[in-house]
Amino acid sequence: MSAALEEFCGSIFWNASYLTRPDADLPVCFQQTVLVWVPLGFFWILAPWQLLPMCKSRAKKSSVTKLYIIKQVLATLLMLTAVAELALAFVEDTEQDPLPAVQYTNPSLYIATWLLVLLIHDARRFCLCRDSGILFCFWTLSLLCGILPFQSLLRRALQVGFGRKLYASLWSCPNPEVTASFLSSITFEWYTSMVFKGYRKPLEIEDIWELKGKDKTQAIYAVWEKNMKTAVRKAQAELEKRKRKKRRQKADPDRGNNMSKAQSQDVLVLEEKQPKRKKKGDKGDSGPRKDFPRGWLVKTLCKTFWQNLLLSVAFKLVHDGLVFVSPQLLKLLIAFVSDEESFAWQGYLYAILLFLTALIQSLCLQQYFSLCFQLGIKVRASLIAAIYKKALTMSSATRKESTVGETVNLMSADAQRFMDMANFIHQLWSSPLQIILSIVFLWGELGPSVLAGIAVMVLLIPINGFLVAKAKTIQVRNMKNKDERMKIMSEILNGIKILKLFAWEPSFEKRVNEIRAHELKDLVNFSYLQSISIFVFTCAPFLVSLASFAVYVLVDENNILDAQKAFTAISLFNVLRFPMAMLPLVLSSLVQTNVSTARLERYLGGEDLDSSAIHHNPIAGSAVRFSEATFAWEQDSNAAIRDVTLDIAPGSLVAVVGAVGSGKSSLVSAMLGEMENIKGHINIQGSLAYVPQQAWIQNATLKDNILFGSELDEARYQQVIKACALLPDLELLPAGDQTEIGEKGINLSGGQKQRVSLARAVYSNADIYVLDDPLSAVDAHVGKYLFKHVLGPKGLLQKKTRILVTHSISFLPQVDNIVVLVAGAVSEHGSYSTLLANRGAFAQFLNLYGSQEEDASEKNTTGTGNTTGLRQLEGLLSKRSTNSWKKAQEEPPKKLKGQQLIEKEAVETGKVKFSMYLRYLHAVGLWYSFWVAMGYVGQYAAFVGTNLWLSAWTDDAERYLNQTYPVEQRDLRIGVFGALGVSQALFLLFATLLCAHGAMRASRVMHQQLLSNILRVPMSFFDTTPTGRIVNRFAKDIFTIDETIPMSFRSWLSCFMAIISTLLMISLATPFFALIIIPLSIFYYFVLRFYVSTSRQLRRLDSVTRSPIYSHFGETVSGLSVIRAYGHQQRFLKQNESTMDINQKSVHSWIVSNRWLAIRLEFVGSLVVFFSGLLAVISKGTLEGGIVGLSVSSALNVTQTLNWLVRMSSELETNIVAVERVHEYTKVKNEAPWVTEKRPPRGWPSKGEIQFVDYKVRYRPELELVLQGITCNIASTEKVGVVGRTGAGKSSLTNCLFRLLEAAGGSILIDEVDIATIGLHDLRQNLTIIPQDPVLFTGTLRMNLDPFDQYTDEEVWKALELAHLKTYVQDLPEGLLHLVSEGGENLSVGQRQLVCLARAVLRKAKILILDEATAAVDLETDNLIQTTIRSEFADCTVLTIAHRLHTIMDSNRVMVLQAGRIVEYDSPEELLKKQGVFSVMAKDAGIVNTETTTFWAVAPDYKPDCGGVKLERC
């Protein structure tokens, strides 16, 4: 081969002696062939593909730019030089001896090449990105290969030389990534502008570049769906096969006789396997869980993303290969330093190669990571999109299998698992590969002694496994404590008013602190385990090297540890640590992903909705026709509607009636296609609109809820709002129809939701209206209005076909047709009069409902009270919160004072204040902090010591070059090496244990401060702050302080010390390195500052944009039937895609920002490696091999640590915000002190006289007065009723007595003591209230009556007896220890109210306040309460605030409030004669004199409604 080449060149091809001289050079022939052909070969193999855009593109070329012209001119010049070279060869050839062939071929090759380059430049004008990666690589290769001939030429002092041009084209466009040049792409340079922007101001979602077209959810999902369909089809075929096989086996059990033995055993095995598989499925339904198509998900993913997978494999392979090049280069470098004879150029070459290896390794790794993370977010996007689409199309049977919560979990948890798995999937083959290669290379260095080191590594795995398992059990226990604590906390916050009124805060504080103590005990145990685990992990690398080196030296005295062996081995052990740690993690993650795969396959492979039984054929004179329709909810269950044959004429109003459970809603669902068809069909002509029984409201503005994706037609819109009685509501809402409705319509009452739902249907202008009992949720008079203006014969919908399911009898005379359902079948249908005459089921139905409606009024008085309070509260909270300001921005009206109740939560932006770090360290304790830091310093001092000792040990090899190695010297070396290593680990253990203690102290202090402060803040704080926000402080932020911050702090300290110690070691070896540190650290600092601010904000944007995906999904699932009925699936899919894209772009941006940072930091790392190598070469004569090995092997490790330091800094900064948020709530202003110097006399109040002296009060400083100067006296044991319209200030009066509101002027005296001068608890413990909402807490019944255990059991039982609860409680198995569930849900509303009465009886204070105490109870309970109060509190002063006037007709005096002033105050008899405000109210209530407080007074609005039928009652 070389002979042929020598003939071709006319000179020697290769001679090694060229390199063994000081002015080393390569032979000319080698330069003319290999160095020319390598770049050209690369180019000609790959370049022709670059011409494809010319052939197939119909796109128009982009315009000619200056850059393009310059490139073409340069290429033309290069071509001309090649032509000149060829011409020169011919001229020289004629003058003298024939020239070698190479002189002709090379210029000819170059001419062809430059021509092709010209063409490629032109072809790239068809592409968005003008730049070509292949050209870039070709230029770079040519440049590298051209350097050597160039320096040869320079040496020969010839003036010929070709510089090859490097270029980078920069264009600007919405997403610079699209047009980024090759160089910019591999270094992520195009992202720099974003980092700068993020540094200058906190990034908003609008600042982030849009995704590239192919990265958008729609594009990814389109490909995925195509692949999924084919894969699922195959999997379903497999499933059918499995089912057939199973059926055959069941049907034919005796066939075994004809089988061979082996076959029958197979069958047995199969039969055994079958049940096992079922057990594995989730908790089955009644029978075994259904089988589902399996094994298609991973195939689909691979098929969809194969390009990404292949590319990342390529990058990872290159990277893994290069990882092992560095130790070999290190070995050569140490050999070079130890060898006096070696040439200087070799050293420089090694240093440069080290740098290049590190650089290429870093570029490959970052591309690989970038690809993996891209794969992760694409997989997540396609899975979420698939789940969402499935939710829109799945059948009701499949839907029953998973709850909304589970499905949202599929989206959040399972899709997230796939995303995490995608980041590390390649570790599955890469880790074993790296482990094998490391062992091979180590074997080469140390021989079999390596096995000792590897044995140590393998032994550490089970230890770690054991620790992890222990930690897991503690973690599980701790989650229980956490849940328990959060449960109590949310109860406290929901019932805070009761706690304040009864002065019960200390008791509950004690309960929370007890749970917290358990939690912290577990937490500190967990931290100890973690410390041991860290200890083991730190020991690992040093134990491994100790074991290997000790065995190596002890096995054979000829084995001497020299620098090459030691430091190459240590580098390789360092390489080995990563895959060893990663592999178990990846495997456990794989197991979890496997579970997720099964869950996703079951969900996505489920049955779709089959709507083939719903026909749309035109039939004259029929809008809806049922033909023997039989439908069931599930294929195998009982039919819910049977053999229904009905014809509904266009434009008619049909009422569907029947008892509860007779199949009315099922009939509607069958029409909507939501049920499984068993036989028959339904024909529907025209579009549908549907109003469900429970209104479904989207989280959007009221207007958007009504328009529901249709165009706005203002006139019609106004007409619809008016007809649906929404105008008065719009006036109440803060921003009219632009008010944003909270999730699930939280800031609308039930009736308002129903009317919005109806308005949506009316506005949609469909042909057929299906109305599932829309009038049940609205008040009777509103129902009549809606029927008249919307549904009835004269309403807006008179021309449409209306199918109305109803319970209300009063409307039936006005409908065209009535269908009566009994047990899912039509028992009769016809007009109202016909059915009455028939005396069938319908007449019975009327009888039943006549009597029921009569009881309804009583029911209403009992049932609704407890929810009204809640609704008022919710309405109050959220009505004023949500984004009512959208409209306010367009046309800012004058903002009313106090109109906005809820302040917007401050989102932290920008840098975290340094004081927060100090505050945390203070909480830890400054001494703790100091000693923890010292522990880390000690650890790294020992670490540097270990390494310096090793380097001295390896220099012994030089010192005892041709002598025997003294045994005592050997043992000393091993012993000290071991001791230093152990001390290193012990220092760390000391630091982490201290850290655990300190962190627990900080957690305790901060939680204690937060809790005690929250319990002491005034009531107004809870009115203006949503509970969610306070709960979040106790949940998320306390969790961060408990667990995340200590870890972040530890890691940060660790990284920081590691970097300092590494730089120290390099500087010890080569002092000049200290000079290089300064510019490098300046660069590092700036990169860090820029990155952290951008990254922090991107993380925030990610979490902010992620929750809409889940909430939109939850909303869709709950409103599925509505979306399908209106046929809006496509619109919702689109909306989901756009919501996803917004989140995707922030995640994508965050990923790129990490890669941008990593490349720059690794460049710093590569420079550290380069300079440590370079300085070692320069100061060759003065250095030992050991110290060089130490310096360079430390440098090789520094890159990763640099990366980690930035990560940790940014994480710490993100987490320390929790301290800031908790601190914010420990600084909220408190209410007055609980106990003051001035204590009231013992037994106060003994008489119970109350005096108001010109008393004024307002809720918050910026609001108007609610009580405007009240002056009155209430004598001892007097019974006073307080009445007035809503908002007159009745409840404010009680709030003032308990000082929930502080006076704005005037005073209240109780028994001559001014209540403003004593402590709150002294006041509140001596008054008693029976509140409007009976609030109970989880715990025993006894705890609810007497949380401080002040009373004996006898007293408690007596109180229960007086409250008429004794018999009930005696019948309970646990008696007084009966557990009350959350909010007292396991007691009825009436019983809860009686428990509150028992509390009051137990307290037996001199002053009793009844706040609407009987609003929520039925008449009987009300009577009981009144009797008890009359007998038990005869010698007390009683204030009763009443809405039902009859409850106060027997008071001594009645106080009538109006707009915060007393307008009348006298005995009821006097006031009735006076013809004033009170007598008007009494007339309304049907009270003529004080005696007529009969049933009619209780239910004044009760009118028996018999629907025009003469029944006995009427």
Side-chain angles (χ1 to χ4, degrees), residues 218-235:
Q218 199 178 355
I220 301 169
Y221 182 64
V223 182
W224 152 271
E225 193 177 27
K226 199 173 84 189
N227 293 330
M228 176 172 116
K229 277 181 179 155
T230 49
V232 173
R233 220 173 287 127
K234 280 180 195 160

Side-chain angles (χ1 to χ4, degrees), residues 629-646:
T630 304
F631 284 82
W633 282 108
E634 283 173 43
Q635 202 58 60
D636 313 325
S637 63
N638 296 332
I641 62 167
R642 293 193 184 86
D643 300 322
V644 174
T645 304
L646 261 185

Side-chain angles (χ1 to χ4, degrees), residues 368-369 372-373 418-431 578 582 585-586 589:
Y368 158 76
F369 271 141
C372 281
F373 281 106
F418 268 92
M419 178 170 169
D420 298 340
M421 190 62 206
N423 302 343
F424 301 112
I425 189 77
H426 295 291
Q427 291 298 338
L428 280 176
W429 59 265
S430 160
S431 291
F578 180 69
M582 279 307 296
L585 288 178
V586 175
S589 160

Side-chain angles (χ1 to χ4, degrees), residues 186-197:
I186 57 171
T187 57
F188 298 98
E189 182 51 42
W190 55 271
Y191 193 74
T192 309
S193 58
M194 178 67 78
V195 180
F196 275 111
K197 188 186 265 182

Side-chain angles (χ1 to χ4, degrees), residues 1364-1390:
H1364 309 280
L1365 274 174
K1366 188 173 179 183
T1367 46
Y1368 170 71
V1369 178
Q1370 276 171 334
D1371 293 345
L1372 294 170
E1374 292 100 1
L1376 281 178
L1377 299 179
H1378 172 68
L1379 280 180
V1380 177
S1381 67
E1382 199 168 339
E1385 304 236 321
N1386 53 356
L1387 299 175
S1388 73
V1389 181

Side-chain angles (χ1 to χ4, degrees), residues 1270-1314:
I1270 283 190
T1271 306
C1272 70
N1273 288 348
I1274 296 170
S1276 175
T1277 74
E1278 193 173 12
K1279 311 288 178 277
V1280 176
V1282 183
V1283 296
R1285 302 257 179 233
T1286 312
K1290 301 188 297 293
S1291 292
S1292 310
L1293 204 63
T1294 53
N1295 289 347
C1296 298
L1297 276 173
F1298 284 89
R1299 279 178 63 196
L1300 287 184
L1301 295 177
E1302 294 289 356
S1307 58
I1308 299 177
L1309 304 176
I1310 297 180
D1311 283 6
E1312 312 301 321
V1313 176
D1314 182 352

